[in-house]
Amino acid sequence: MAAAQVSLPLPVLPSGWKGEKDFKAAGSLSTPVQRNVEPVGPHFLAHARRLRHRRTFSEDDRIEAQNKAKNVENESDEDISEPEDPMMLSRDAKDWKGQDHYAVLGLTKYRWRATESQIKRAHRKKVLRHHPDKKAAAGSSEDDSFFKCIQKATEILLDPVKRRQFDSVDEAADVDPPSKKQAQKGDFFKLWNPVFDSEGRFSKTQPVPRLGDEKSSKDDVEKFYNFWFNFDSWRSFEYQDEDVPDDNENRDQKRHVERKNNNARKKKKTEDTARLRALLDECMAGDDRIKKFRKEERASKDKKRNEREAAEKKALEDKKKAAEEQERLSKEAEEAAKAERAEGKKAKEAAKNAVKKNKRILKTSLKDANYLLPTGQEATAKRIDEVLNDVDAVIAKLEPEEMAILASKLNGLKVADAVGPIWKEEVERLTGAGKLKEGDVRVLSA
């Protein structure tokens, strides 16, 4: 294909543009630094290997592929290598439900913990060792029954649903609880932790709380036992179901087998729940932390009860003292009130008498002053009534204090010229304060 040339001229600069005044630098170059660069990485190693062994790219790829295949076949893979049981090698492939799939692949020390990568590696090693073609080439007359067991085990364990069904009934993964003799002599936590680790694989909630140790707090211990008393298990038992007929002709038989399997699962689920509860009760019975917490709880309750009783006793005593004090104060208050009433009565009587006295002084002042008439002129009855009516009108508007002040001014005065102005001044004050109206008092205001 011929190369095509494309002409891309630079844009024309604006008219009048000059580099000296219009050019603006966006940045500057940093100071150069000398560094040593070392080649590393898989591609450099491959280049060094080809250079050392004087290989081409294709030769190196072919030789490396052969070495890798050889390593896969001969690698030890100690984590997935287990000795094979002769009895297992002679198993009937048709009885696949009764076989231990983890044992077939050499993964018994991992079981439900085995990863997908480990399962695939174990399958590859088993296939390389037990493939029928390889045995036939080696002159072996053994059938391919165990190879079929390997294939079936791999099929089950690489299918998440089927593997969970098998793990649900994998009794080889269970850890038996310690006996009473073992629990008495051994370490409680070392004996029971593996049991609950094993049971915890069936929990829908992960991670599962640990049993802990003797230093665990009360909250952690209660959290652990509450979790297990309310254990939510995904465990099912359909792996042990009776095979359901696939033919469509015998539908009644198929329904019967399905009902039978469902009832069997429910029964096994109930039995497993009861087994776990009994296991938990046994663990709690031997847990010294529970005994310690209960002892502390009883001591705390006793302390609170004693404190409550002491508080109630003190409250009763305080109540009794308060009642006695209240009674005393009531008596004192009653006596004080009685004395106050007596004093009030005396004060009222004194005030009443003072008012009477002041009234007499006010009226006497006018009488002594000849009812404000000149000396020698006799007061008529009409004049006396008019003056006394004015006095009563003024007295009616006076407060006791005002009356006392007015009486003090008039006390001892007997001359009309002295008494009259004082009365006139008082009438004017009351009129200005709005207590008297013009015309209510005539004689005293004249």
Side-chain angles (χ1 to χ4, degrees), residues 249-373:
E249 297 179 359
N250 198 352
R251 294 183 178 179
D252 292 338
Q253 176 64 16
K254 182 177 181 179
R255 294 192 187 97
H256 171 72
V257 174
E258 289 176 348
R259 285 195 299 269
K260 185 178 178 181
N261 287 336
N262 287 332
N263 292 334
R265 290 180 202 167
K266 292 179 181 178
K267 182 180 179 181
K268 292 174 182 177
K269 187 75 172 180
T270 303
E271 292 174 350
D272 185 64
T273 302
R275 176 194 66 82
L276 184 60
R277 180 56 62 89
L279 188 75
L280 198 58
D281 291 339
E282 183 181 351
C283 178
M284 285 189 67
D287 195 339
D288 291 335
R289 298 173 303 175
I290 299 296
K291 300 174 184 177
K292 182 184 72 172
F293 294 147
R294 288 176 178 172
K295 184 178 179 180
E296 291 175 353
E297 188 176 355
R298 284 195 299 270
S300 177
K301 286 183 178 179
D302 292 342
K303 182 180 178 182
K304 290 181 179 179
R305 186 181 68 253
N306 294 336
E307 291 176 351
R308 185 177 64 253
E309 291 175 353
E312 291 175 353
K313 184 178 179 181
K314 187 176 183 302
L316 289 174
E317 292 176 354
D318 292 344
K319 186 177 180 181
K320 184 178 179 181
K321 289 181 180 179
E324 293 175 353
E325 182 67 16
Q326 183 65 31
E327 185 178 358
R328 183 184 67 79
L329 294 175
S330 298
K331 288 181 179 180
E332 291 180 356
E334 186 177 353
E335 292 175 357
K338 187 176 180 181
E340 186 178 354
R341 287 195 298 272
E343 290 294 330
K345 187 175 181 181
K346 290 180 181 179
K348 287 181 180 179
E349 289 293 333
K352 187 176 181 182
N353 293 333
V355 170
K356 288 180 179 180
K357 180 181 177 181
N358 291 329
K359 284 182 178 180
R360 284 197 304 272
I361 292 173
L362 297 180
K363 291 181 179 181
T364 301
S365 68
L366 292 169
K367 180 181 179 182
D368 292 343
N370 196 24
Y371 298 103
L372 302 181
L373 292 174

Side-chain angles (χ1 to χ4, degrees), residues 4-12:
Q5 288 186 350
V6 179
S7 178
L8 294 174
L10 293 174
V12 180

Side-chain angles (χ1 to χ4, degrees), residues 24-54:
K24 294 181 181 179
S28 60
L29 296 175
S30 60
T31 305
V33 178
Q34 184 175 357
R35 299 183 185 276
N36 294 326
V37 180
E38 297 182 1
V40 293
H43 297 290
F44 169 73
L45 295 177
H47 168 72
R49 184 178 61 248
R50 289 191 299 270
L51 188 63
R52 178 185 178 188
H53 297 289
R54 297 180 180 180

Side-chain angles (χ1 to χ4, degrees), residues 65-78:
Q66 292 175 352
N67 292 337
K68 186 175 182 180
K70 186 177 180 181
N71 290 336
V72 169
E73 184 175 356
N74 297 329
E75 64 185 355
S76 61
D77 277 345
E78 295 181 359

